[in-house]
Protein backbone atom coordinates (compact mmCIF):
# COMPACT_ATOMS: atom_id res chain seq x y z
CA UNK A 1 0.00 0.00 0.00
CA UNK A 2 1.28 3.38 -0.92
CA UNK A 3 1.94 5.46 2.18
CA UNK A 4 1.85 9.21 2.71
CA UNK A 5 5.60 9.08 3.30
CA UNK A 6 6.14 7.48 -0.11
CA UNK A 7 4.00 10.12 -1.78
CA UNK A 8 5.92 12.92 -0.12
CA UNK A 9 9.26 11.37 -1.03
CA UNK A 10 8.28 10.96 -4.66
CA UNK A 11 6.71 14.39 -5.12
CA UNK A 12 9.34 16.83 -6.37
CA UNK A 13 9.18 20.59 -6.40
CA UNK A 14 9.25 22.18 -9.82
CA UNK A 15 10.71 25.58 -9.00
CA UNK A 16 14.22 26.49 -7.96
CA UNK A 17 15.38 24.66 -4.83
CA UNK A 18 18.87 24.42 -3.37
CA UNK A 19 20.09 21.74 -1.01
CA UNK A 20 22.86 23.97 0.31
CA UNK A 21 23.16 27.72 0.52
CA UNK A 22 26.11 29.94 1.51
CA UNK A 23 25.55 31.51 4.92
CA UNK A 24 26.32 34.94 3.46
CA UNK A 25 23.40 34.75 1.05
CA UNK A 26 20.84 36.27 3.44
CA UNK A 27 23.23 39.10 4.29
CA UNK A 28 23.41 39.93 0.60
CA UNK A 29 19.65 40.44 0.41
CA UNK A 30 18.63 37.06 -1.04
CA UNK A 31 14.94 36.43 -0.42
CA UNK A 32 14.55 32.79 0.60
CA UNK A 33 11.23 31.08 1.27
CA UNK A 34 10.60 27.53 2.39
CA UNK A 35 7.72 25.13 1.85
CA UNK A 36 7.00 22.11 4.00
CA UNK A 37 6.52 19.43 1.37
CA UNK A 38 5.04 16.96 3.85
CA UNK A 39 2.35 19.37 5.04
CA UNK A 40 1.55 20.42 1.48
CA UNK A 41 0.63 16.81 0.66
CA UNK A 42 -0.86 15.75 3.99
CA UNK A 43 -3.03 18.81 4.61
CA UNK A 44 -4.12 19.78 1.11
CA UNK A 45 -7.43 18.49 -0.21
CA UNK A 46 -5.72 17.17 -3.33
CA UNK A 47 -3.10 15.25 -1.36
CA UNK A 48 -5.73 13.72 0.91
CA UNK A 49 -7.83 12.81 -2.11
CA UNK A 50 -4.92 10.92 -3.65
CA UNK A 51 -4.35 9.03 -0.42
CA UNK A 52 -7.99 7.95 -0.20
CA UNK A 53 -8.10 6.83 -3.81
CA UNK A 54 -4.82 4.94 -3.66
CA UNK A 55 -5.95 3.19 -0.49
CA UNK A 56 -9.23 2.18 -2.14
CA UNK A 57 -7.44 0.88 -5.23
CA UNK A 58 -5.00 -1.07 -3.07
CA UNK A 59 -7.84 -2.65 -1.12
CA UNK A 60 -9.54 -3.64 -4.37
CA UNK A 61 -6.34 -5.27 -5.56
CA UNK A 62 -6.01 -7.20 -2.30
CA UNK A 63 -9.61 -8.41 -2.54
CA UNK A 64 -8.96 -9.66 -6.06
CA UNK A 65 -6.06 -11.79 -4.85
CA UNK A 66 -7.75 -13.10 -1.70
CA UNK A 67 -9.88 -15.93 -3.20
CA UNK A 68 -7.00 -17.41 -5.20
CA UNK A 69 -4.60 -17.15 -2.26
CA UNK A 70 -7.12 -18.70 0.13
CA UNK A 71 -7.90 -21.59 -2.21
CA UNK A 72 -4.20 -22.26 -2.73
CA UNK A 73 -3.58 -22.25 1.02
CA UNK A 74 -6.38 -24.78 1.53
CA UNK A 75 -5.02 -27.00 -1.23
CA UNK A 76 -1.53 -26.80 0.22
CA UNK A 77 -2.70 -27.89 3.65
CA UNK A 78 -4.54 -30.84 2.13
CA UNK A 79 -1.43 -31.93 0.26
CA UNK A 80 0.70 -31.57 3.38
CA UNK A 81 -1.70 -33.77 5.33
CA UNK A 82 -1.77 -36.37 2.56
CA UNK A 83 2.01 -36.57 2.22
CA UNK A 84 2.92 -36.14 5.89
CA UNK A 85 4.01 -39.78 6.38
CA UNK A 86 5.20 -40.47 2.84
CA UNK A 87 8.80 -40.75 1.68
CA UNK A 88 10.03 -39.07 -1.49
CA UNK A 89 10.14 -42.50 -3.14
CA UNK A 90 6.56 -43.26 -2.18
CA UNK A 91 5.34 -39.93 -3.51
CA UNK A 92 7.26 -40.38 -6.76
CA UNK A 93 5.64 -43.80 -7.18
CA UNK A 94 2.12 -42.33 -7.03
CA UNK A 95 1.34 -40.76 -10.46
CA UNK A 96 -1.85 -39.07 -9.28
CA UNK A 97 -0.04 -37.43 -6.37
CA UNK A 98 2.83 -36.35 -8.59
CA UNK A 99 0.31 -34.64 -10.86
CA UNK A 100 -1.36 -32.89 -7.95
CA UNK A 101 1.97 -31.63 -6.60
CA UNK A 102 3.02 -30.40 -10.03
CA UNK A 103 -0.30 -28.60 -10.49
CA UNK A 104 0.05 -27.02 -7.03
CA UNK A 105 3.52 -25.68 -7.81
CA UNK A 106 2.25 -24.21 -11.09
CA UNK A 107 -0.56 -22.45 -9.21
CA UNK A 108 1.96 -21.11 -6.71
CA UNK A 109 4.05 -19.74 -9.54
CA UNK A 110 1.06 -18.13 -11.21
CA UNK A 111 -0.03 -16.50 -7.94
CA UNK A 112 3.44 -15.01 -7.50
CA UNK A 113 3.30 -13.61 -11.02
CA UNK A 114 -0.11 -12.11 -10.33
CA UNK A 115 1.06 -10.60 -7.04
CA UNK A 116 4.07 -9.05 -8.77
CA UNK A 117 1.84 -7.58 -11.48
CA UNK A 118 -0.46 -6.10 -8.83
CA UNK A 119 2.50 -4.47 -7.05
CA UNK A 120 3.71 -3.00 -10.33
CA UNK A 121 0.23 -1.71 -11.14
CA UNK A 122 -0.08 -0.02 -7.75
CA UNK A 123 3.36 1.59 -8.11
CA UNK A 124 2.50 2.85 -11.60
CA UNK A 125 -0.89 4.09 -10.41
CA UNK A 126 0.82 6.01 -7.62
CA UNK A 127 3.40 7.51 -9.96
CA UNK A 128 0.71 8.66 -12.39
CA UNK A 129 -1.16 10.30 -9.51
CA UNK A 130 2.03 12.03 -8.35
CA UNK A 131 2.63 13.32 -11.87
CA UNK A 132 -0.90 14.73 -11.95
CA UNK A 133 -0.45 16.40 -8.55
CA UNK A 134 2.86 17.86 -9.72
CA UNK A 135 1.09 19.29 -12.76
CA UNK A 136 -1.37 21.11 -10.49
CA UNK A 137 1.25 22.07 -7.91
CA UNK A 138 3.76 23.63 -10.32
CA UNK A 139 1.82 26.82 -11.11
CA UNK A 140 0.83 27.12 -7.44
CA UNK A 141 4.47 27.10 -6.34
CA UNK A 142 5.39 29.55 -9.08
CA UNK A 143 2.57 31.89 -8.00
CA UNK A 144 3.68 31.82 -4.36
CA UNK A 145 7.30 32.24 -5.45
CA UNK A 146 6.44 35.36 -7.45
CA UNK A 147 4.05 36.84 -4.88
CA UNK A 148 6.69 36.56 -2.19
CA UNK A 149 9.31 38.10 -4.48
CA UNK A 150 11.51 35.13 -3.73
CA UNK A 151 14.91 34.41 -5.16
CA UNK A 152 15.05 30.84 -3.86
CA UNK A 153 12.40 28.33 -2.74
CA UNK A 154 13.54 25.43 -0.60
CA UNK A 155 11.97 22.31 0.81
CA UNK A 156 11.60 22.57 4.60
CA UNK A 157 13.37 19.21 4.95
CA UNK A 158 16.54 20.84 3.59
CA UNK A 159 16.54 23.57 6.23
CA UNK A 160 17.81 23.18 9.79
CA UNK A 161 15.92 26.17 11.14
CA UNK A 162 14.05 29.17 9.80
CA UNK A 163 11.92 32.03 11.08
CA UNK A 164 8.15 31.67 10.63
CA UNK A 165 8.07 34.56 8.20
CA UNK A 166 9.91 32.68 5.47
CA UNK A 167 7.59 29.64 5.61
CA UNK A 168 5.14 29.83 2.71
CA UNK A 169 3.51 26.45 3.30
CA UNK A 170 0.13 27.88 4.33
CA UNK A 171 0.03 29.95 1.15
CA UNK A 172 0.82 26.88 -0.96
CA UNK A 173 -1.87 24.78 0.73
CA UNK A 174 -4.49 27.51 0.36
CA UNK A 175 -3.73 28.07 -3.32
CA UNK A 176 -3.53 24.35 -4.01
CA UNK A 177 -6.94 23.87 -2.39
CA UNK A 178 -8.30 26.64 -4.59
CA UNK A 179 -6.75 25.10 -7.70
CA UNK A 180 -7.88 21.51 -7.14
CA UNK A 181 -9.59 19.53 -4.42
CA UNK A 182 -9.49 16.23 -6.29
CA UNK A 183 -6.89 14.48 -8.43
CA UNK A 184 -7.67 11.95 -11.13
CA UNK A 185 -6.32 8.59 -9.95
CA UNK A 186 -6.92 5.75 -12.38
CA UNK A 187 -5.71 2.22 -11.79
CA UNK A 188 -2.91 1.33 -14.17
CA UNK A 189 -3.15 -2.04 -15.89
CA UNK A 190 -0.18 -4.23 -16.86
CA UNK A 191 -0.72 -7.40 -18.93
CA UNK A 192 0.48 -10.59 -17.24
CA UNK A 193 3.16 -11.15 -19.85
CA UNK A 194 4.70 -7.73 -19.10
CA UNK A 195 4.95 -8.26 -15.35
CA UNK A 196 8.37 -8.93 -13.86
CA UNK A 197 9.02 -12.68 -13.51
CA UNK A 198 8.54 -14.29 -10.11
CA UNK A 199 10.15 -17.45 -8.86
CA UNK A 200 9.55 -19.84 -5.99
CA UNK A 201 11.96 -22.07 -4.13
CA UNK A 202 11.45 -25.68 -4.92
Amino acid sequence: MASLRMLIAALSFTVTALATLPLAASAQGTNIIIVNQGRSVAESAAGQDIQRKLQAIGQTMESELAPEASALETEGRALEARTANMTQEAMAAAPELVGLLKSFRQKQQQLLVTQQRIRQELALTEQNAINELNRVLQPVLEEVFNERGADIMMNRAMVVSASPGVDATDDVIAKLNAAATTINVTRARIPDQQAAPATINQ
Side-chain angles (χ1 to χ4, degrees), residues 3-197:
S3 67
L4 180 62
R5 183 178 300 175
M6 292 170 60
L7 262 180
I8 294 170
L11 188 63
S12 59
F13 285 125
T14 51
V15 296
T16 305
L18 298 180
T20 59
L21 183 70
L23 294 178
S26 58
Q28 297 171 356
T30 302
N31 185 5
I32 304 166
I33 62 174
I34 62 174
V35 176
N36 188 317
Q37 192 170 354
R39 280 190 57 213
S40 298
V41 175
E43 298 181 17
S44 68
Q48 293 171 0
D49 182 60
I50 286 180
Q51 280 294 295
R52 286 192 297 267
K53 290 175 178 175
L54 287 175
Q55 183 177 12
I57 290 172
Q59 290 173 343
T60 298
M61 292 176 170
E62 290 175 0
S63 67
E64 291 172 357
L65 289 174
E68 183 178 355
S70 178
L72 194 60
E73 181 179 2
T74 300
E75 184 178 347
R77 288 175 178 173
L79 286 171
E80 285 180 358
R82 181 171 176 178
T83 60
N85 299 317
M86 296 180 66
T87 64
Q88 291 291 333
E89 292 76 12
M91 285 188 286
E96 179 188 0
L97 183 56
V98 170
L100 290 174
L101 291 170
K102 180 179 180 181
S103 175
F104 179 72
R105 286 194 293 269
Q106 289 173 340
K107 292 175 184 177
Q108 281 184 308
Q109 182 71 31
Q110 182 56 48
L111 180 59
L112 286 174
V113 170
T114 302
Q115 289 172 332
Q116 180 65 23
R117 175 176 57 78
I118 290 295
R119 285 193 291 268
Q120 292 175 351
E121 286 182 351
L122 185 58
L124 182 57
T125 299
E126 179 183 355
Q127 186 57 57
N128 291 341
I130 290 168
N131 292 342
E132 183 65 16
L133 181 56
N134 257 327
R135 185 188 67 78
V136 177
L137 182 59
Q138 178 178 356
V140 168
L141 292 172
E142 292 176 349
E143 184 177 355
V144 172
F145 185 86
N146 292 330
E147 285 183 356
R148 290 280 189 123
D151 298 303
I152 297 171
M153 176 180 282
M154 298 181 68
N155 185 359
R156 182 64 180 86
M158 300 175 180
V159 180
V160 176
S161 63
S163 63
V166 302
D167 192 325
T169 306
D170 288 342
D171 291 351
V172 170
I173 294 173
K175 291 182 181 297
L176 182 55
N177 286 342
T181 57
T182 64
I183 297 294
N184 182 38
V185 181
T186 303
R187 176 177 174 177
R189 297 282 184 174
I190 300 175
D192 285 339
Q193 60 269 24
Q194 293 183 15

